[in-house]
Amino acid sequence: MKFFAINGSPRKNCSTAQLLDKSLEGVRSIISDASTERIDLYDFPFHGCMSCFACKRKNGKHYGRCAQKDDLKPILEKIVEADGIILGSPIYFSDVTGNMRCFLERFMFPFTAYSKTETVEHKKMPMAYIYTMNASEEFSHQIGYHDLHGHFEMALSMVFTKPENLYVYETYQFRDYSKYVSDAFDEKERKHIRKTRFPKDLESAFELGRSVAIRAGQLG
């Protein structure tokens, strides 16, 4: 069985990437021979949906598949047969990164049928979403992050399956806060959160991966 973690962060060794790696460990703890791979979206150039509608053309050779030829195309062709996918992105200005959004447009739109009766055949796979952010849990609820992301998760559930999610708050951004204009944050407090809370977040990511693997087995 094949599982992919899609990293929407430009930082390949920081919080989001570490959480995704831990989630794939969780997958392998359930399915020991599972094939797992993390894909870092910032490793290659690509763009969002071009609204060419080739994926909707009747009897078209690209029906149900993205026709755009760029570095994302082979990735899309590979993950369309996945048994489970775990998405991860930091929150920039209330939403996931631009690269993650572009990826999701290209991944989801070909499977969205403009029809009351017809559907596009594709594999229904379990999904999960990991969000990382500077904000505290209290502030994230106040500003409506959960509602915003919940609406998009609803779209994911219509195309694939309802995603589970994990929110990770007050992430540690810099190794040395003194080098940056960042007095809105208490470096000592952030270090404490990194030391005491982040290990628990990693455990939660591990359990998220386990859940995706279990659901994949049930769907299979």
Side-chain angles (χ1 to χ4, degrees), residues 134-135 173-174 177 181-190:
N134 251 327
Q173 287 187 290
F174 314 114
Y177 276 67
V181 179
S182 57
D183 55 280
F185 310 109
D186 184 327
E187 181 178 7
K188 184 177 180 180
E189 179 184 16
R190 288 299 169 101

Side-chain angles (χ1 to χ4, degrees), residues 152-164:
F152 195 82
E153 287 176 12
M154 186 182 300
L156 272 173
S157 68
M158 293 171 65
V159 178
F160 298 106
T161 59
K162 182 175 176 55
E164 299 176 70

Side-chain angles (χ1 to χ4, degrees), residues 132-146 167-171 185 189-190 193 197:
T132 62
M133 65 193 71
N134 251 327
S136 67
E137 182 173 4
E138 180 182 9
F139 183 74
S140 73
H141 283 284
Q142 289 175 353
I143 204 170
Y145 282 179
H146 295 252
Y167 282 81
V168 176
Y169 307 100
E170 298 174 294
T171 52
F185 310 109
E189 179 184 16
R190 288 299 169 101
I193 290 171
R197 189 194 300 168

